[in-house]
Amino acid sequence: MKLKNVKINQLSQKNAEVIADTWKYEEPFSFYNMTEDPEDYKELISAQGRGKNYYQVLLDNELIGYFCLFKSGDGLEIGLGLKPNLTGKGIGDQFFQIILDYINQNFKVKQINLAVAEFNKRAHKLYLNHGFKDIELYDQATNGDVYPFIKMSKTLN
């Protein structure tokens, strides 16, 4: 699958609700279902909570993913999600590159940071392949428990 004719714009209320209420990932990735974390869910479905930080990725006007960006020092912290039925299909590389290109074209930052759950080996590998480096392993309270996460960072030119 080639990701051509992709548009990125602010996440609409309708699509925020679709992500929050209907995107269900298979185990062990159900960890990423918005309904698993009340704080994340509340932020996503509230226009005020999202602010201008959330973006939708549309392929031929169909929602295929989203990402959020938050200022972090002289860089950005990124979070992202691909539509559940598209995961594991080999398009993550293109999807992530589209997001990185958008950031490069629209923001003047020196660094991009992200955090990935330690168990998510395929996402960790994807980020390493895009030039991100492991910074630290830490425990994060989320989804009603504490989980190990890997902080990663990429310095931009």
Side-chain angles (χ1 to χ4, degrees), residues 51-67:
K52 299 282 186 200
N53 300 315
Y54 282 77
Y55 300 83
Q56 58 193 11
V57 181
L58 306 172
L59 173 63
D60 297 321
N61 290 318
E62 182 185 332
L63 179 68
I64 63 163
Y66 75 95
F67 62 98

Side-chain angles (χ1 to χ4, degrees), residues 41-86:
Y41 181 90
K42 187 176 176 184
E43 179 176 287
L44 184 64
I45 63 165
S46 161
Q48 191 173 17
R50 287 191 313 275
K52 299 282 186 200
N53 300 315
Y54 282 77
Y55 300 83
Q56 58 193 11
V57 181
L58 306 172
L59 173 63
D60 297 321
N61 290 318
E62 182 185 332
L63 179 68
I64 63 163
Y66 75 95
F67 62 98
C68 53
L69 301 171
F70 298 93
K71 292 251 185 252
S72 171
D74 59 357
L76 290 172
E77 180 90 22
I78 183 172
L80 61 139
L82 183 62
K83 189 174 183 178
N85 68 350
L86 297 177

Side-chain angles (χ1 to χ4, degrees), residues 9 13 37 39 45 51 66 68 79 81 99 112 136 139-140 148:
N9 49 36
Q13 182 65 34
D37 188 327
E39 288 179 26
I45 63 165
Y66 75 95
C68 53
I99 293 169
I112 302 174
E136 70 174 316
D139 290 331
Q140 174 71 43

